[in-house]
Amino acid sequence: MEATLSRTDELSLSQRIDRMHARDRAGLLVFVVVLWGTLLFALFSVWPFISIPAMRVILSVACGLVLVFNTAAIIAMLRHYVEDKHFIYGLDIKHLDEMRRPRG
């Protein structure tokens, strides 16, 4: 039998969901910044060693596509999380609480 949530439990759950969502957003923002920095660093590090102009174009386009598609995918994921955050994080919190509950 599942207990009904009181008003304070609902607020607490909503606050926990918002905190988890904020942490995920921050983590994804850091990931995107690190991804851009890493790929651009790699591109500019090897640039002087590429003597064939066509290879420079191919490498630049490939790097740009990776950055654009990965960034777009992460933005889409964040939008999905905003729409369904109570469902997504509610399940996570429920399972975390069950794992923390003493057995016996």
Side-chain angles (χ1 to χ4, degrees), residues 31-87:
F31 176 79
V32 167
V33 169
V34 169
L35 176 70
W36 276 76
T38 302
L39 285 178
L40 291 176
F41 173 78
L43 178 65
F44 293 123
S45 293
V46 300
W47 196 262
F49 304 108
I50 303 170
S51 59
I52 304 168
M55 289 303 296
R56 285 184 173 187
V57 171
I58 291 169
L59 186 62
S60 298
V61 169
C63 182
L65 288 173
V66 168
L67 290 174
V68 167
F69 284 128
N70 274 290
T71 303
I74 290 170
I75 290 170
M77 183 173 57
L78 283 172
R79 286 184 181 152
H80 174 71
Y81 277 21
V82 168
E83 294 168 359
D84 293 334
K85 72 179 181 179
H86 287 282
F87 174 74

Side-chain angles (χ1 to χ4, degrees), residues 13 15-31 77-78 81 85 89 92-93 96 100:
L13 179 63
Q15 290 169 344
R16 289 173 70 190
I17 287 171
D18 289 340
R19 279 196 313 259
M20 287 180 81
H21 181 67
R23 276 194 308 260
D24 282 354
R25 272 194 333 253
L28 288 170
L29 177 63
V30 168
F31 176 79
M77 183 173 57
L78 283 172
Y81 277 21
K85 72 179 181 179
Y89 294 108
D92 286 347
I93 289 171
L96 287 170
R100 289 182 186 144

